[in-house]
Amino acid sequence: MKILMVCLGNICRSPLADGLLRKKVEEKGLNVTVDSAGTSSYHIGSEPDTRTQENALKHGVDLSFLRARQFSKSDFQDFDRIYAMDNSNVFNILQMAQSDADKEKVKLLLDLIPEQHNKEVPDPYYGGEQGFEKVFQLVDKATDILIEELENA
Ligand code: 4NP
């Protein structure tokens, strides 16, 4: 199973989802590959945003080894599931899909949480510290549910 997390910049939301899921996969000893990408080219090669890294570290998650890259068409071949953080990410990813099978791989991350159906992980980039904590709580819950599903698969 190969899972890709996607946001706009690949420096705030998707690297957190990536690092957090990798940590949980490792702890459970599951055979799951995890990666992340951004739909934009803005931050290619950058480490996760300092605010994202500091917030994640408070929760014991190291993201310093991650580097931003841009989503590409080949990701549809390389991954089984593609989780987008918001609807604009879904829109941008679907524009690059070449088949129905490609399209079926794309889901909103928060659709994993029953009471957050159709909700987005809010973009914390232009906001304050509490935005990063909100993102952490949502992504932590979604990845817990995902891990449970993968464990029982
Ligand atoms: P992300 O956050 O999509 O969660 O990585 C953003 C990062 C950078 C920008 C926007 C959102 N930006 O406009 O540069």
Side-chain angles (χ1 to χ4, degrees), residues 5-46:
M5 301 295 189
V6 180
C7 63
L8 175 63
N10 193 209
I11 56 167
C12 294
R13 294 164 293 174
S14 63
L16 176 66
D18 180 347
L20 200 43
L21 187 63
R22 280 188 208 217
K23 185 165 182 268
K24 292 175 185 183
V25 159
E26 219 167 275
E27 284 167 0
K28 299 282 185 183
L30 299 173
N31 184 20
V32 176
T33 300
V34 186
D35 196 14
S36 59
T39 57
S40 77
S41 61
Y42 308 153
H43 299 280
I44 291 172
S46 298

